[in-house]
């Protein structure tokens, strides 16, 4: 469930002709250039149309290690999890502040790789301040699983990232990066500088 | 009664369609809603209050009108019109919103949000919210706010805030996106009154249950009038709530053909249409797996219909299921056919139908002769056409100018 920043970015790349196959190719190039583990994030219909097994294998071949599908509930995720299992892709699931303990348990049982803790109620986007309830959510998830817990949705500054890193295993930044790409004449440089700041902040904890 | 049960499974699946394809942040709210609905459904007090509202506030039961001049003109099947246009606010939408706003009150949620295409659902929601003293916000595609300016003002008069949506094609699909965003953000205080049998479970079931009163009344009325069940029941299909409402009492009934009529716009071949069941492929949109108008990559394609209420790339999952099981047929009518049907009904019966409902009138006008004079056909006249008079006038003007 994306906010306006990512929706506009999506419309912009679609208008330029980007499609699923092109995005997978981009993942392959990024994996080769960085040598880092990469996790793809997309909506379920794109995977569904591509074919679950074909998509999971294409991700694995491109060098990705996991996938986040925010509109796929644990309940309807059986076929996708099976496809991920066959391809060696970790299906990441999101836990929300509204998830009661029994849902956190189901999410923890279904997830591989890490659990994505959605820090604020709402759609992705840049927020002014972090919600204290994120800390409590991370603690609740830890009661259900030994998987690493990463916090996202609303993390937009180095200060946010530092605060999150003090209690979580990972920090997810989306819209704040996308915003820097869309508003920049030199996106690689600006994003690079921003991410460096985030990394420095996280490592300082 | 040889009826087939078409309730979804526990996960909200009608066969392979339906389900809950939503962000985790909404899952708990859907569970809560399902629980509240399950409790309310069997609660005598809730049902008694809803029944009173339907009779004394919304004007139910709506009449079943034998359309003699339309029948004569079409030269075939005896045509009856289920007069949902006579329900309060001028369309079947009121059935659903009275149920949902009552449910929201029961759940202690004081803030109501809704999406609207033609504006009928928005007006109905604003009406029920005013009646129950609830805060009401309606999301509407900017394009639709121009097409249906009078309905925007109507909603504001009823105390609702109308938020024009400027994303995407600025129509119903984008309004639903924006309403879902609001709901994800404010889920703890807010109930989302979805306007059709679409969205994640339990919405398709819940909306059908609040709309099935149409078919139940129709069944009793046609037995009274004809002493037998109809041969055909037809209704227009956008998301599909008026069709599900009138179909449900007849699903699986031998000898009763159910026909949903989708918008063929400027023709299926032109690509400018909203015929999701006729020309779509399985896909996930707005929380459910159903049929979807999309490109091979799964990107939603722009749709078109002269009627804002049918201009939607998805359709309710139960319709996808009924079609796959052969329990209902889905046909189409073009913009031009709908316009002709609008005039036809105005001149033969003195009724201005909504442009949405005109699609169903267009289908029966085309097929009545082939059905034969012994056949009995019922058309769900889902809404009144006053809201469309301006649109029809400008199109007729342009048409005359072109001649």
């Amino acid at each position: 469930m994306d906010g306006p920043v990512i929706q506009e970015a999506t419309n912009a790349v679609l208008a330029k002709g980007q499609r699923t196959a092109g995005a997978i190719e981009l993942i392959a190039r990024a994996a080769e250039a960085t040598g880092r583990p990469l996790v793809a994030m997309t909506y379920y219909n794109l995977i569904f149309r591509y074919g679950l097994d074909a998509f999971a294998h294409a991700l694995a071949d491109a060098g990705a290690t996991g996938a986040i599908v925010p509109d796929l509930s644990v309940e309807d995720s059986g076929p996708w999890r099976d496809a991920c299992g066959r391809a060696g892709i970790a299906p990441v699931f999101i836990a929300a502040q509204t998830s009661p303990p029994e849902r956190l348990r189901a999410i923890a049982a279904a997830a591989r790789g890490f659990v994505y803790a959605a820090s604020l109620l709402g759609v992705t986007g840049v927020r002014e301040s972090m919600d204290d309830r994120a800390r409590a959510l991370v603690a609740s998830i830890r009661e259900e699983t030994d998987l690493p817990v990463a916090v996202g949705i609303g993390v937009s500054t180095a200060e946010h990232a530092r605060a999150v890193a003090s209690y979580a295993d990972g920090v997810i930044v989306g819209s704040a990066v996308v915003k820097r790409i869309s508003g920049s004449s030199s996106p690689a440089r600006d994003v690079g500088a921003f991410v460096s700041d985030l990394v420095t902040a996280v490592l300082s904890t | 009664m040889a009826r087939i049960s078409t309730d979804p499974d526990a996960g909200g699946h009608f066969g392979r369609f339906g389900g809950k394809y939503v962000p985790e942040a909404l899952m708990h709210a859907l569970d809560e809603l399902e629980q509240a609905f399950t409790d309310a459904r069997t609660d005598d007090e809730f049902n008694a209050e809803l029944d009173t509202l339907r009779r004394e506030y919304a004007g139910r039961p709506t009449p079943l009108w034998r359309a003699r001049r339309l029948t004569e003109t079409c030269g075939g099947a005896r045509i009856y019109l289920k007069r949902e246009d006579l329900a309060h606010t001028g369309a079947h939408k009121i059935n659903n919103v009275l149920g949902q706003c009552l449910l929201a009150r029961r759940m202690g949620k004081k803030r109501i949000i809704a999406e609207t295409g033609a504006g009928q659902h928005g007006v109905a929601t604003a009406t029920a919210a005013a009646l129950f003293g609830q805060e009401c916000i309606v999301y509407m595609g900017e394009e639709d706010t121009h097409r249906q300016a009078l309905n925007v003002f109507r909603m504001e008069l009823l105390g609702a805030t109308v938020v024009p949506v400027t994303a995407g094609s600025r129509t119903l699909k984008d309004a639903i996106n924006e309403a879902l965003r609001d709901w994800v953000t404010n889920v703890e205080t807010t109930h989302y009154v979805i306007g059709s049998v679409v969205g994640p479970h339990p919405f398709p079931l819940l909306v059908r249950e609040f709309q099935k009163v149409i078919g139940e009344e129709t069944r009793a009325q046609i037995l009274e009038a004809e002493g037998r069940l109809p041969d055909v029941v037809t209704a227009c299909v956008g998301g599909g709530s008026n069709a599900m409402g009138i179909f449900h009492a007849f699903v699986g009934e031998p000898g009763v053909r159910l026909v949903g009529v989708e918008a063929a716009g400027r023709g299926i071949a032109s690509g400018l249409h909203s015929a999701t069941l006729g020309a779509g492929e399985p896909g996930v949109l707005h929380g459910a797996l159903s049929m979807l108008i999309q490109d091979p990559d799964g990107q939603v394609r722009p749709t078109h219909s002269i009627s804002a209420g049918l201009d939607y790339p998805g359709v309710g999952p139960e319709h996808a299921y009924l079609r796959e099981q052969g329990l209902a047929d889905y046909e189409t009518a073009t913009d031009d056919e709908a316009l002709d049907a609008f005039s036809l009904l105005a001149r033969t019966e003195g009724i201005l139908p909504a442009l949405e409902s005109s699609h169903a009138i267009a289908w029966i006008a085309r097929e009545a002769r082939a059905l034969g004079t012994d056949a009995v056909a019922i058309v769900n006249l889902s809404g009144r056409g006053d809201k469309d008079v301006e649109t029809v006038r400008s199109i007729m003007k342009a048409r005359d100018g072109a001649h």
Side-chain angles (χ1 to χ4, degrees):
Chain A
M1 195 73 217
D2 280 311
V5 173
I6 291 183
Q7 186 183 11
E8 275 168 33
T10 304
N11 291 338
V13 296
L14 284 172
K16 286 187 177 176
Q18 178 69 289
R19 288 296 183 271
T20 309
I24 291 169
E25 217 178 284
L26 196 62
I27 291 171
R29 281 169 54 202
E32 202 182 314
T34 65
R36 307 278 179 176
L38 295 175
V39 177
M41 181 155 157
T42 190
Y43 287 100
Y44 187 59
N45 195 47
L46 275 64
I47 300 176
F48 182 73
R49 295 307 301 170
Y50 199 96
L52 306 187
D53 275 300
F55 191 85
H57 279 104
L59 279 185
D61 290 348
T65 55
I68 305 168
V69 190
D71 63 336
L72 185 60
S73 59
V74 172
E75 281 83 343
D76 282 309
S77 70
W80 170 238
R81 278 187 282 147
D82 291 345
C84 284
R86 287 188 285 270
I89 289 289
V92 174
F93 284 90
I94 298 176
Q97 279 164 356
T98 48
S99 309
E102 64 273 15
R103 291 202 57 82
L104 291 181
R105 205 160 300 139
I107 289 162
R112 298 288 179 272
F114 65 92
V115 174
Y116 183 148
S119 69
L120 288 169
L121 274 189
V123 297
T124 59
V126 180
R127 299 293 151 84
E128 293 303 314
S129 65
M130 291 297 296
D131 192 332
D132 280 345
R133 291 199 287 180
R135 193 185 291 264
L137 175 60
V138 171
S140 307
I141 296 168
R142 290 205 199 285
E143 283 175 25
E144 305 297 341
T145 180
D146 293 330
L147 285 175
V149 181
V151 171
I153 303 191
V155 183
S156 62
T157 67
E159 290 72 52
H160 291 162
R162 185 184 296 120
V164 168
S166 70
Y167 59 85
D169 305 303
V171 183
I172 299 170
V173 182
S175 298
V177 170
V178 173
K179 217 175 170 179
R180 275 169 180 76
I181 297 171
S182 60
S184 170
S185 55
S186 177
R189 190 195 60 204
D190 290 354
V191 169
F194 177 56
V195 173
S196 295
D197 286 352
L198 294 174
V199 170
T200 308
V202 166
L203 293 179
S204 73
T205 56
Chain B
M1 261 198 293
R3 294 282 314 286
I4 290 174
S5 166
T6 51
D7 266 10
D9 70 12
H13 304 98
F14 299 91
R16 64 178 167 141
F17 300 109
K20 296 179 179 181
Y21 294 84
V22 294
E24 173 62 23
L26 290 181
M27 287 299 287
H28 184 57
L30 293 175
D31 289 345
E32 267 183 358
L33 179 60
E34 186 178 355
Q35 191 57 53
F37 175 62
T38 306
D39 293 347
R41 226 175 157 179
T42 53
D43 179 355
D44 292 344
E45 207 174 308
F46 179 88
N47 287 318
E49 187 169 5
L50 186 56
D51 190 55
T52 303
L53 285 165
R54 281 171 172 168
R55 281 184 293 111
E56 295 171 13
Y57 184 73
R60 303 209 71 89
T62 58
L64 185 70
W65 170 245
R66 183 168 171 186
R68 288 186 171 79
R69 295 223 326 124
L70 177 66
T71 298
E72 262 172 48
T73 308
C74 295
R78 280 199 295 290
I79 304 170
Y80 287 81
L81 304 175
K82 178 59 174 169
R83 298 293 308 276
E84 290 301 295
D85 61 316
L86 293 178
H88 183 41
T89 72
H92 71 290
K93 297 289 186 187
I94 193 76
N95 305 327
N96 171 40
V97 300
L98 286 176
Q100 286 207 47
C101 287
L102 204 55
L103 199 57
R105 193 186 71 188
R106 190 183 163 98
M107 294 171 75
K109 296 195 172 179
K110 296 194 170 81
R111 184 173 177 271
I112 300 294
I113 58 169
E115 86 294 338
T116 198
Q120 294 305 99
H121 174 57
V123 167
T125 307
T127 299
L131 178 66
F132 292 122
Q134 293 158 329
E135 182 190 358
C136 180
I137 290 116
V138 179
Y139 292 95
M140 188 169 187
E142 197 193 28
E143 166 85 17
D144 292 337
T145 63
H146 298 315
R147 285 198 274 197
Q148 301 290 344
L150 203 56
N151 268 341
V152 173
F153 186 55
R154 208 166 270 151
M155 286 182 262
E156 289 168 352
L157 284 174
L158 291 160
T161 305
V162 179
V163 181
V165 177
T166 55
S169 57
R170 306 176 182 209
T171 57
L172 181 57
K173 159 180 79 73
D174 311 288
I176 295 180
N177 283 340
E178 213 52 44
L180 280 170
R181 270 186 190 148
D182 180 316
W183 202 33
V184 170
T185 311
N186 301 300
V187 65
E188 286 160 334
T189 59
T190 299
H191 176 65
Y192 176 20
V193 179
I194 206 161
S196 192
V197 286
V198 300
H201 179 66
F203 282 114
L205 171 65
L206 184 153
V207 176
R208 181 195 84 191
E209 289 298 298
F210 288 140
Q211 290 291 5
K212 73 179 184 187
V213 64
I214 303 173
E216 287 169 350
E217 287 174 8
T218 304
R219 196 180 165 104
Q221 288 166 323
I222 198 68
L223 286 174
E224 174 78 29
E226 289 281 344
R228 68 174 180 94
L229 291 175
D231 299 286
V232 174
V233 177
T234 186
C236 65
V237 176
S241 72
N242 90 80
M244 258 342 296
I246 197 164
F247 285 179
H248 188 65
F250 300 100
V251 170
E253 190 70 69
V256 180
R257 187 179 167 210
L258 305 176
V259 181
V261 184
E262 297 190 301
R266 293 181 198 153
I268 301 292
S270 73
L272 299 169
H273 63 82
S274 305
T276 307
L277 291 161
E281 301 277 348
V284 175
L285 178 73
H286 296 146
L289 174 58
S290 185
M291 298 295 278
L292 181 60
I293 296 176
Q294 57 186 329
D295 73 12
D297 285 307
Q299 301 290 346
V300 178
R301 276 198 167 128
T303 54
H304 165 80
S305 170
I306 192 173
S307 61
L310 302 185
D311 195 351
Y312 180 60
V315 67
E318 190 171 356
H319 283 296
Y321 173 74
L322 292 181
R323 176 176 169 273
E324 197 165 76
Q325 296 295 313
L327 292 167
D329 296 332
Y330 294 86
E331 308 278 343
T332 61
T334 64
D335 286 353
D336 285 342
E337 289 175 310
L339 275 170
D340 290 345
F342 184 95
S343 299
L344 175 68
L345 197 67
R347 289 173 187 216
T348 55
E349 298 291 334
I351 297 169
L352 295 180
L355 278 174
E356 290 76 11
S357 323
S358 299
H359 287 72
I361 301 288
W363 183 81
I364 198 64
R366 194 205 298 151
E367 299 295 329
R369 194 175 292 271
L371 290 169
T373 51
D374 290 338
V376 171
I378 299 173
V379 181
N380 197 16
L381 190 58
S382 55
R384 57 190 292 161
D386 302 59
K387 69 182 176 59
D388 296 313
V389 167
E390 197 52 49
T391 304
V392 171
R393 186 172 76 139
S394 61
I395 293 170
M396 285 181 172
K397 250 180 163 176
R399 256 189 183 179
D400 292 345
H403 285 170

